[in-house]
Amino acid sequence: MVFGMLEPPINVVALFWYIPTKILLFCYFKSHCARQVPQPSDSPNDPLNDFILLNVSLLSAIVGAYGPMLGPGFVEISEELNVSVNEISQATSYLVLAIGIALLFSNPLAKCYGKRPVYLVSGILLFASSIGAALTHDYGSFLACRLVGGLGMGPYEVLVQCTIGDMYFVHERASRIAFWNLFLVSGISAGPIVSAYIIQYSGYRWAFGVCAIFYGVLTLALFFLAPETSYIRVAGTSHTSTEASSIEQPDTKAVPGEDVVQPTSETIDDIEKEPQGRKYEQQTSHPPLITQRKDSYWRSLRVYTGRYSNASVVKVISRPFILFLYPGILWAFLTWGTTITFTIAFSYVNGVIFNEPPYNFSTSQIGLINISPLVLSVVSEIISGPLCDKICLYLTKRNNGYYEPEFRLVLMAVGFVLGVAGFYGFGATVHYKTHWTGPVITYGLVNASLAFCSTCVFGYIIDAYTALGEEAFVAVNSRNFLSFGILYVINEWLDKEGTLKVFVVLGSLFIFTSLLTIPIWIFGKRCRARIDKIVWLKNYMRDS
């Protein structure tokens, strides 16, 4: 037992060594001889470490703003469209539902045909929906544009994490996830600040117009600067035969239709101490028999670059639902789903709460409330990624050099404390009509909690279920259906029950799902071992 984690039963220990996630090793940045995970191939078209993340992250920021940006202006927009505030709120809920539907189709298409075409179609849909919403004059067309926008937003909830898995080594991923999430949460928090002023002084249509400008420019940049990142990295094509070892297998993308021999365990000491014979082998090794010429810039702009999976699209669509049989995936769905849903709920209710006594905020002032979550989210994202990597490295060293994906769960403790203070604090300060700084600060604490939870959850999924990355993220982000149900009734619920009761319930549910991290810490490793014995499940998840 390591740090309270239960090992697999003795009769399946031998099988456990074949679990791909067992030896996702942490390599030292300083060690030039440490093997990288995944092992780079000889191909000049290998996408490892391409600088694409910034472009996708900028788009994610605008996508993050697109949903909650109307929150400060719910009252004004409802008056202009001659509908109730609740109907405007529900339009955003339908957008969330559209995101969930888009996930079911965008993932299989990206899995089979590459991520680049899905990103580009997504950008075009977002651009078109923004133009349409900027020209609309009735609620029906307004709702239709929001639905189309939701379909475009879907891929950015699941594919960016997989793109990070395509391009970066294991020891770099938490920091890159935090980098991307920094843009996402900044968009979610800063979007309403900017849109509030636009809505108050120019109308809500110009809020969509500004989004259209950004989507148009960034989608063009995506086309010209972001080649395909999906890549079939064939085992054994690294620079020497000795380097093509089991360490590369957890992230290796096998040739479709072929089984990959699963890895054995290695330690940090193994990869730090380069065998003396390796330098000689590197000098005397022969170049690979098959060489590839690097694609030209114009060739890299191809929208379709081939098929990356032999599995049928229908089979890939069904996989996320099967993944709920995995306890780790179910935990991630519940934890991430409740945290982000309840955080989004603030953008639905703030426009109502702060527009009434004792606050009587204007639309622009309601937007300024988001400065608190913006600042705390940025600080939390800057801290969470490096902190998570350092925790994992420390625990790996304490565990005799063996890394376990469950080490990333430690970060959940920070998110738990911040979330409890935020949810309960917001409900209490609004109910007892304290100074506006009370609810504003506690709102920021909830967003800080979201930053830590996202780094923890997505880091764990990438490491524990590497081979099922796309499907795993679809399963986790199917929380959009959960979000739709709660957000659809949140304002009506708030009006009926009051702020204190609503946020006490939300905070209590947050506590329950967060505490599920404890059994995953204890039993997660054993569960992964047992699931690996289920033959039909392994075959169903295989791309063949």
Side-chain angles (χ1 to χ4, degrees):
M1 181 182 293
V2 180
F3 307 123
M5 298 181 197
L6 293 181
E7 298 287 343
I10 189 67
N11 61 329
V12 297
V13 167
L15 290 173
F16 182 73
W17 301 114
Y18 291 91
I19 296 179
T21 58
K22 166 61 184 170
I23 53 90
L24 283 168
L25 258 300
F26 260 75
C27 302
Y28 283 119
F29 290 99
K30 66 180 182 180
S31 178
H32 69 279
C33 61
R35 296 194 194 101
Q36 306 285 6
V37 184
Q39 187 81 1
S41 70
D42 287 309
S43 172
N45 299 312
D46 193 323
L48 287 172
N49 291 319
D50 279 346
F51 297 99
I52 298 171
L53 184 58
L54 178 61
N55 196 163
V56 179
S57 297
L58 286 170
L59 265 167
S60 296
I62 311 303
V63 167
Y66 196 71
M69 70 178 183
L70 301 183
F74 274 179
V75 176
E76 290 189 14
I77 298 171
S78 65
E79 293 174 354
E80 188 165 348
L81 294 178
N82 296 316
V83 294
S84 67
V85 172
N86 195 46
E87 285 179 288
I88 298 297
S89 172
Q90 289 172 351
T92 305
S93 300
Y94 282 116
L95 175 140
V96 173
L97 178 63
I99 293 173
I101 295 173
L103 292 177
L104 300 179
F105 299 98
S106 60
N107 166 67
L109 293 174
K111 179 86 173 180
C112 295
Y113 304 109
K115 300 177 182 65
R116 178 171 163 82
V118 178
Y119 277 135
L120 292 174
V121 171
S122 170
I124 293 171
L125 287 176
L126 287 165
F127 175 75
S129 67
S130 298
I131 292 292
L135 300 175
T136 186
H137 290 279
D138 61 86
Y139 180 74
S141 56
F142 171 83
L143 178 59
C145 291
R146 293 295 270 172
L147 288 172
V148 174
L151 295 176
M153 293 171 68
Y156 288 91
E157 290 217 358
V158 65
L159 294 186
V160 179
Q161 304 95 313
C162 300
T163 300
I164 291 172
D166 288 341
M167 297 190 298
Y168 295 100
F169 301 118
V170 169
H171 63 280
E172 299 172 325
R173 289 176 185 166
S175 298
R176 269 61 181 191
I177 290 174
F179 176 82
W180 157 72
N181 211 48
L182 173 63
F183 281 82
L184 180 63
V185 299
S186 295
I188 294 172
S189 301
I193 298 175
V194 178
S195 66
Y197 280 95
I198 296 175
I199 292 171
Q200 181 170 337
Y201 295 107
S202 301
Y204 79 90
R205 293 180 182 83
W206 263 108
F208 286 105
V210 172
C211 284
I213 294 171
F214 278 108
Y215 285 136
V217 172
L218 291 175
T219 301
L220 284 175
L222 189 73
F223 179 82
F224 287 107
L225 301 176
E228 179 61 63
T229 62
S230 297
Y231 182 77
I232 301 176
R233 190 169 294 108
V234 182
T237 61
S238 57
H239 297 291
T240 69
S241 59
T242 57
E243 289 182 80
S245 65
S246 61
I247 190 66
E248 68 184 272
Q249 296 300 336
D251 257 20
T252 297
K253 297 173 178 58
V255 177
E258 295 183 7
D259 292 335
V260 177
V261 178
Q262 302 297 346
T264 57
S265 181
E266 292 191 43
T267 66
I268 283 182
D269 288 338
D270 294 333
I271 61 175
E272 280 192 298
K273 298 177 181 178
E274 182 177 19
Q276 293 182 0
R278 179 163 298 159
K279 291 184 179 180
Y280 174 78
E281 292 169 359
Q282 290 176 343
Q283 294 172 355
T284 60
S285 61
H286 297 287
L289 295 176
I290 300 176
T291 59
Q292 289 183 327
R293 182 176 300 175
K294 182 169 178 59
D295 289 343
S296 67
Y297 169 72
W298 295 109
R299 181 172 173 78
S300 72
L301 296 183
R302 290 173 299 161
V303 174
Y304 174 70
T305 54
R307 190 176 174 92
Y308 293 89
S309 172
N310 285 340
S312 67
V313 174
V314 174
K315 183 178 180 181
V316 178
I317 289 176
S318 66
R319 283 176 177 173
F321 301 101
I322 302 295
L323 281 178
F324 284 111
L325 296 173
Y326 292 63
I329 300 294
L330 183 59
W331 163 83
F333 166 78
L334 293 173
T335 303
W336 174 244
T338 54
T339 305
I340 192 170
T341 298
F342 300 164
T343 303
I344 295 172
F346 284 86
S347 66
Y348 280 63
V349 303
N350 282 344
V352 177
I353 291 174
F354 290 98
N355 193 51
E356 298 175 348
Y359 304 110
N360 297 315
F361 283 5
S362 66
T363 300
S364 58
Q365 288 174 322
I366 293 173
L368 292 175
I369 293 171
N370 291 275
I371 291 177
S372 170
L374 173 62
V375 172
L376 290 178
S377 294
V378 169
V379 172
S380 299
E381 289 294 349
I382 292 173
I383 295 173
S384 64
L387 177 61
C388 186
D389 284 340
K390 289 182 183 297
I391 289 172
C392 291
L393 184 57
Y394 171 76
L395 293 177
T396 301
K397 292 167 69 176
R398 289 287 303 274
N399 192 32
N400 299 318
Y402 289 101
Y403 169 69
E404 302 291 349
E406 283 73 21
F407 291 165
R408 296 200 182 274
L409 301 180
V410 176
L411 199 66
M412 194 67 194
V414 182
F416 176 80
V417 174
L418 294 171
V420 171
F423 285 115
Y424 287 154
F426 185 86
T429 53
V430 171
H431 178 75
Y432 293 107
K433 300 181 179 180
T434 67
H435 190 267
W436 60 265
T437 54
V440 168
I441 291 174
T442 51
Y443 176 30
L445 291 178
V446 172
N447 279 265
S449 171
L450 178 68
F452 281 95
C453 292
S454 65
T455 301
C456 168
V457 169
F458 292 133
Y460 177 72
I461 293 298
I462 285 180
D463 285 359
Y465 303 99
T466 305
L468 303 173
E470 290 92 341
E471 291 90 345
F473 286 120
V474 171
V476 173
N477 282 295
S478 61
R479 61 87 195 165
N480 283 284
F481 298 105
L482 170 68
S483 299
F484 169 73
I486 293 176
L487 298 176
Y488 190 83
V489 300
I490 187 68
N491 275 307
E492 185 178 347
W493 183 23
L494 186 76
D495 183 60
K496 182 179 180 181
E497 301 290 347
T499 306
L500 181 62
K501 187 170 183 179
V502 168
F503 281 90
V504 165
V505 172
L506 297 184
S508 300
L509 290 172
F510 171 78
I511 289 175
F512 171 74
T513 56
S514 297
L515 290 178
L516 293 176
T517 307
I518 297 175
I520 294 298
W521 173 271
I522 297 172
F523 300 103
K525 183 177 178 180
R526 177 174 288 184
C527 289
R528 289 187 286 116
R530 289 181 173 174
I531 287 177
D532 193 63
K533 294 179 62 180
I534 305 176
V535 177
W536 73 266
L537 190 58
K538 291 173 63 177
N539 291 337
Y540 194 80
M541 293 299 173
R542 184 178 293 125
D543 286 339
S544 58

